[in-house]
Amino acid sequence: MVGKQRLYAGERLRALRLRLGLSQSVMAARMGISNSYLSQLEHDDRPMTSAIRQTIGRTFPLNGADFEVDDEQRRTSGVRDALTDPLFRGMEISDGALDRLVELQPAIADRLTALHQAYRGALNRLQFVDDVISSNMGLDGRLPWEEVRDWFHLAGNYVDPIDREAERMARDLWGRDQIDDDALLARLKNVHQVVVELTAREESARLLRRYDRRTKTLTLSSTLPPDSRRFALAHQLAALELADVIAGVRDEAELRSDEARQLLSIGLANYAAGALLMPYDHFRRTARSLRHDIDRLCQHFSVSFEQACHRLSTLQRPGECGTPFFFCRVDMAGNITKRHSATRLEFARFGGACPLWVVHEAVAIPDRIGVQLAQTPDNARYVCMAKGLVKPSGSYARAPRRYAVALGCEIEHARSFVYADQLDISNEQAATLIGISCRICPRMNCDQRAFPPVDHSLSVDPDVREILPYKIK
């Protein structure tokens, strides 16, 4: 009997980490293992177990095939991915023919896979260049908030030590149905000697939350709706009770400025507040049982629509992942102010999103949920849900804040997403063809194009005017 093949792939694992631009601590956290274990794997001191390979496949789905023991299976997967690319649209190959190619011509299969990976890499680099052009900054010119946004993105929008500590806190605070304001207020007062006050009416216009460390007084705006007030209480409690854990995560982050580190601390406290009000396991199980109906989740956990959507995008605990969603928030000008994707969908790092995406319609029509079956240029199809929201300012003299949130998943998860029920996901022609950024979008005949693609030349005829004032060669 032949024993199982042991795989030592430290060089490939280290190359993957460097290619993704991750530190050992960040990659270890995303995989749910210790830094020392990751170091041993990279130095081939320990073999790569089946569980680790599965974790890599879940955490880095586009690179998981690099760590398969079975070369034939890896080749088949690589060639199949290449041939399903829109680059080969119209070319059909049967499973039998694919198996014969891999078996009889393994070198050609490897080169086809490598060529496709190089092509996808070139597209990714092109998108990055477009992002830099759109931002009017150099490669190293990220602002502090952009550094923090990218940190959360590279962390998979899941911070394990904070999430688990918040879940532990929730067990102590959870009532019969949820964590209510009284429980949060009592914990703040009894454990941290914090007094909570509401602002005077004249001060409520701009101030949402203020904490005086000297007097241990937390002041909240009297205009905050109940769910926002509860979140502010949870934020302050998490910032105090998990201060050491938050500081540890912040200090390990490779950020360049004090401003970015301060912003990360705030972001981690907000993350902890969401994890406290919507504890991981209970929220994940409830979301699945309700088929991710956001309104019902809001009622169950007494949170806002945006808070529930954002929490769904963080359910990436190794071995206990929720449905992979993308999540974003878009303002009236089309700027993406929050973004995360646990799917293949990638957002432009700067600027707006495709105008054909349902989220833009949602901004214009608040309090109505829009759904859409969308298809990106890589032929991936998504069920998208978007809702326009309005945050009141508390004064007629100040305009309310208007924006929209969007949540979506790939169609393979449509059965667990209630918003897919009214869509004909079996009809390939029903999908709206969307892109990521006009400058790199390969859809040449899109009437909504704002900019020509950077990798094509133009043909301009002064005697002919169509919807676009140019043709793309």
Side-chain angles (χ1 to χ4, degrees):
M1 182 176 180
V2 179
K4 291 184 178 180
Q5 184 177 356
R6 294 163 65 86
L7 174 66
Y8 290 88
E11 185 174 338
R12 274 180 275 169
L13 184 60
R14 185 165 52 253
L16 170 62
R17 178 170 61 80
L18 295 176
R19 187 165 70 246
L20 295 174
L22 304 181
S23 65
Q24 275 196 341
S25 61
V26 171
M27 187 168 190
R30 291 184 65 175
M31 293 175 61
I33 61 177
S34 66
N35 287 3
S36 60
Y37 189 14
L38 178 59
S39 178
Q40 290 173 335
L41 290 171
E42 288 193 352
H43 289 87
D44 286 336
D45 293 331
R46 298 180 67 172
M48 190 169 289
T49 65
S50 174
I52 289 295
R53 291 198 301 276
Q54 291 174 10
T55 297
I56 293 174
R58 285 194 307 269
T59 311
F60 311 104
L62 298 181
N63 302 277
D66 294 344
F67 301 91
E68 295 287 349
V69 175
D70 189 337
D71 286 340
E72 186 169 316
Q73 184 180 4
R74 175 181 57 79
R75 288 192 179 100
T76 301
S77 176
V79 174
R80 182 176 287 111
D81 285 345
L83 294 179
T84 56
D85 193 285
L87 184 68
F88 298 104
R89 184 178 288 111
M91 177 184 295
E92 296 185 4
I93 182 169
S94 66
D95 290 342
L98 181 59
D99 292 340
R100 287 193 296 275
L101 170 64
V102 170
E103 179 182 0
L104 300 176
Q105 298 290 345
I108 293 178
D110 286 343
R111 280 160 177 75
L112 176 60
T113 300
L115 183 63
H116 179 250
Q117 290 175 343
Y119 167 72
R120 298 299 300 176
L123 290 182
N124 289 337
R125 288 191 295 273
L126 180 61
Q127 180 173 344
F128 180 74
V129 170
D130 175 60
D131 290 338
V132 173
I133 292 172
S134 299
S135 68
N136 294 317
M137 293 187 299
L139 298 180
D140 296 323
R142 289 183 302 169
L143 297 172
W145 71 268
E146 291 162 349
E147 279 195 89
V148 174
R149 178 196 62 188
D150 292 346
W151 184 90
F152 273 104
H153 180 69
L154 291 175
N157 211 29
Y158 174 75
V159 188
D160 190 72
I162 293 178
D163 212 301
R164 292 186 185 275
E165 284 299 309
E167 192 172 29
R168 177 191 58 76
M169 289 175 58
R171 295 191 193 103
D172 298 335
L173 294 167
W174 196 264
R176 185 174 60 182
D177 298 316
Q178 59 190 228
I179 299 176
D180 57 26
D181 288 16
D182 290 341
L184 295 170
L185 288 166
R187 182 85 161 215
L188 283 167
K189 181 179 180 180
N190 297 334
V191 177
H192 303 283
Q193 294 76 54
V194 173
V195 176
V196 179
E197 298 178 347
L198 297 181
T199 59
R201 290 185 179 275
E202 61 271 13
E203 194 181 11
S204 296
R206 297 197 61 84
L207 180 67
L208 299 180
R209 175 183 60 85
R210 180 179 61 218
Y211 179 62
D212 188 326
R213 296 179 183 273
R214 183 180 59 83
T215 63
K216 293 188 176 182
T217 301
L218 174 63
T219 304
L220 301 179
S221 171
S222 57
T223 65
L224 285 176
D227 47 42
S228 297
R229 185 178 304 176
R230 184 176 298 107
F231 190 87
L233 292 172
H235 170 99
Q236 192 60 57
L237 180 59
L240 293 170
E241 199 143 329
L242 303 183
D244 291 341
V245 181
I246 290 173
V249 174
R250 178 201 62 208
D251 293 343
E252 285 189 6
E254 299 174 355
L255 302 177
R256 297 177 300 170
S257 67
D258 289 338
E259 293 90 342
R261 284 184 281 274
Q262 291 287 354
L263 287 171
L264 180 58
S265 294
I266 296 171
L268 292 173
N270 283 334
Y271 179 97
L276 175 61
L277 297 177
M278 296 166 278
Y280 193 98
D281 186 60
H282 181 38
F283 186 77
R284 181 174 67 102
R285 287 187 287 104
T286 304
R288 285 186 173 179
S289 68
L290 299 178
R291 297 183 63 221
H292 304 94
D293 186 323
I294 308 301
D295 287 310
R296 295 181 67 186
L297 284 172
C298 292
Q299 294 172 14
H300 185 92
F301 291 92
S302 291
V303 294
S304 72
F305 198 89
E306 180 182 352
Q307 290 163 11
C309 289
H310 197 170
R311 184 55 171 156
L312 285 172
S313 75
T314 69
L315 301 182
Q316 299 302 309
R317 181 177 292 177
E320 302 175 66
C321 287
T323 299
F325 284 107
F326 66 78
F327 163 76
C328 75
R329 187 176 70 185
V330 177
D331 68 13
M332 291 288 289
N335 299 305
I336 300 175
T337 55
K338 283 186 181 180
R339 63 178 177 84
H340 174 67
S341 178
T343 69
R344 286 180 287 174
L345 181 70
E346 293 290 339
F347 296 108
R349 291 180 66 250
F350 301 95
C354 176
L356 294 172
W357 197 18
V358 68
V359 70
H360 298 292
E361 182 179 347
V363 177
I365 310 175
D367 295 325
R368 191 185 79 179
I369 292 178
V371 295
Q372 181 184 51
L373 179 63
Q375 181 173 315
T376 49
D378 60 357
N379 282 342
R381 291 193 295 160
Y382 301 88
V383 177
C384 306
M385 178 279 298
K387 183 178 183 180
L389 302 173
V390 178
K391 285 195 175 182
S393 66
S395 170
Y396 174 76
R398 298 177 63 243
R401 289 179 289 163
R402 299 176 182 272
Y403 58 93
V405 294
L407 188 76
C409 64
E410 297 188 39
I411 59 169
E412 63 187 87
H413 302 289
R415 289 184 178 180
S416 66
F417 199 37
V418 68
Y419 305 99
D421 290 354
Q422 59 181 288
L423 298 175
D424 184 7
I425 62 175
S426 63
N427 181 3
E428 294 187 1
Q429 304 302 316
T432 300
L433 304 181
I434 67 171
I436 304 302
S437 169
C438 284
R439 288 188 175 92
I440 60 173
C441 183
R443 305 194 192 282
M444 298 299 134
N445 59 347
C446 177
D447 294 344
Q448 302 292 330
R449 180 177 286 281
F451 306 101
V454 297
D455 57 341
H456 286 69
S457 58
L458 304 180
S459 174
V460 180
D461 186 342
D463 297 324
V464 176
R465 175 58 199 256
E466 298 181 354
I467 293 178
L468 295 178
Y470 49 78
K471 289 185 179 294
I472 302 169
K473 295 183 180 180

